[in-house]
Amino acid sequence: RRKVDSEGRRFQDRWKVEYFFTEIENHCVCLICQETVAVYKEFNVKRHYQSRHSTYDKLTGHDRSEKLKQLEAVLIECVMKMVENICPEKKQEFANICLARNTVARRIEEISSDIKRQLTSKGVDFDFFSIACDESTDLSDTAQLLIFMRGVDDEMNVTEELLDLQSLTDQTRGKDLFVSVSSAIDDMKLPWNKVTGIITDGAPAMVGERSGLSTLICNKVIEEGGKAIKLHCIIHQQVLCAKHLKYDHVMKPVLKTINFIRSKALCHCQFKQFLLDIQAEHEDVLYHNNIRWLSRGSALFYSLRKEIGEFLETKGQPMRELSDPIWLADLGFLVDITKHLNVLNTSLQGKDAAVNQLYSHLKAFGTKLQLFIRQLSQTQPNTIHFSALQEIMNSFPQDNISAQTSRYAADIASLAGEFKRRFQDFAAIEKEISLFSSPFSVDPEDAPDQLQLELIELHCDSELRSRHQQLSLVNFYRQLDKSRFQEIRTLAKKMLSLFGSTYMCEKTFSAMNFNKNRVRTRLSDSHLRDILRIKT
């Protein structure tokens, strides 16, 4: 049997003028007599109007529109009288209510259009800008390409905003992505020769040597007389480096145990009650997700290893690894090194982060790895920065766990090599980054030819040296004389315009999944773009 609710009937805006009906709280209400029609069906609405209020047919055009406004005003006045008697403190909130069904959507569209107009106005003043691109599929299986822009004007003001959200209904090859990005840039009337770089997530369609999006963008910039660099998101590469340490012999028993505890509701409930009864430090263990590798550090398994062992004994499922000192040492080392990786990952996140700031965090972590290698390679290993490993070594003094530290040092050396291999794109611009962030530490002879004379002038100016120490980097370059240090300011603007990561893309995709969820799959692409533009 046919069900009315499944027919997807909706209130039509034209019914307001034609039949003097409006929609209030999902009810079709007559503005003349305030009666409701049970079903959103034009036949029912028209029959009610013609049988009850056919005298209004003589009103046409402007007169009919004015009558509609009067009837809506009367309805609002009746509601306000009722509010004054029932809840007077809510009077202002009710006064702000609009009867139009599409009011919220229209206002979102207007706000989004205004933001776009402001961005277009700012884009005219950009001396340089770069773009960040990432592609993902929404809940309705539509490929969505996010394009962010980071621009810098002559006053060193940095603008980081969503340029566009392009919906791809066909293939997502490099040339398809390039067409979408080109459309977004041309629509904003941005000159291609001002593009300084593009950063992506490293997918084949993004970084292909011949037909990848980054390659096509850089070729287009060269054709227009500019020069752009290709970068792979620093956060994405850091996560890939973190996966270099497999330690499957540790993770497989941990995952098996966690799944045993959490996969069945009764067992999970008993475990939580067991932790509560013995007053454990933590209340539960967390699932591990292979996609989120860094969840290893927060799995809480290490902190609850003794309690988990006791609980498994009561279930007749003992975990033999918990009595193996070498395995426990490997677990402790994995927890410690993951903790350091978590700290690095957190420091790389955030909006408006300049590329020099992100690269400095990366270099600092590389220096830390070299320190760990030296300390763990000593005859008497120093485990001061590996608290979990140190705890295991102190718990089993009779076992020769310290002999394992040389293996841990080798694993860290392998991790350091992976970091060095993956971050070659950032290493290629390391000189420019150093010159931008520490201009007084660079020898003028090592600088590019066009910067050497200005750099000497900069080094010999004691007042500018003092400003560099006192002011933020952006404010320092903002105060440099434009005619005296033209080339240095140009370099600074190029560096400030570069994205270091696709953090904003990933954050916006989270907002996209929140707004376009399983109960809002019919949200149109244009409305989704408007919502995300406002969100960012």
Side-chain angles (χ1 to χ4, degrees), residues 104-122 161-164 187-188 526-535:
V104 175
R106 185 177 66 251
R107 289 176 179 174
I108 289 176
E109 292 171 356
E110 291 172 354
I111 294 172
S112 175
S113 298
D114 183 64
I115 293 174
K116 185 176 180 180
R117 283 194 297 270
Q118 292 182 43
L119 184 60
T120 303
S121 177
K122 288 183 179 180
E161 293 286 348
L162 175 64
L163 180 61
D164 203 358
D187 183 54
M188 295 291 288
S526 60
H527 283 163
L528 179 62
R529 181 190 304 113
D530 294 334
I531 291 172
L532 296 183
R533 192 185 297 278
I534 296 171
K535 177 67 176 177

Side-chain angles (χ1 to χ4, degrees), residues 167-231:
S167 301
L168 306 173
T169 56
D170 200 357
Q171 293 180 293
T172 57
R173 299 166 297 181
K175 60 181 181 181
D176 301 313
L177 301 177
F178 175 71
V179 170
S180 297
V181 173
S182 299
S183 173
I185 293 178
D186 293 338
D187 183 54
M188 295 291 288
K189 297 180 175 56
L190 296 170
W192 282 91
N193 60 354
K194 293 185 178 181
V195 178
T196 57
I198 175 174
I199 191 164
T200 64
D201 63 347
M206 296 284 188
V207 298
E209 285 296 327
R210 290 184 295 178
S211 58
L213 172 63
S214 298
T215 301
L216 296 176
I217 291 290
C218 290
N219 292 341
K220 175 69 173 179
V221 175
I222 292 174
E223 291 176 4
E224 298 293 330
K227 182 180 180 182
I229 60 174
K230 299 183 289 185
L231 294 175

Side-chain angles (χ1 to χ4, degrees), residues 39-50:
V39 181
Y40 285 115
K41 192 173 181 181
E42 186 170 8
F43 174 80
N44 295 357
V45 175
K46 185 177 181 180
R47 182 178 61 183
H48 173 90
Y49 171 76
Q50 290 180 344

Side-chain angles (χ1 to χ4, degrees), residues 423-434:
F423 288 96
Q424 293 180 2
D425 50 352
F426 284 91
I429 60 171
E430 183 175 4
K431 289 185 178 180
E432 288 81 358
I433 294 175
S434 299

Side-chain angles (χ1 to χ4, degrees), residues 132-134 146-148 501-510:
C133 299
D134 200 356
L146 275 175
I147 310 168
F148 271 84
S501 73
T502 57
Y503 169 81
M504 287 303 301
C505 294
E506 299 297 340
K507 184 178 178 181
T508 307
F509 278 136
S510 297

Side-chain angles (χ1 to χ4, degrees), residues 135 166 177 295 302 431:
E135 179 262 327
Q166 293 278 341
L177 301 177
S295 63
Y302 177 80
K431 289 185 178 180

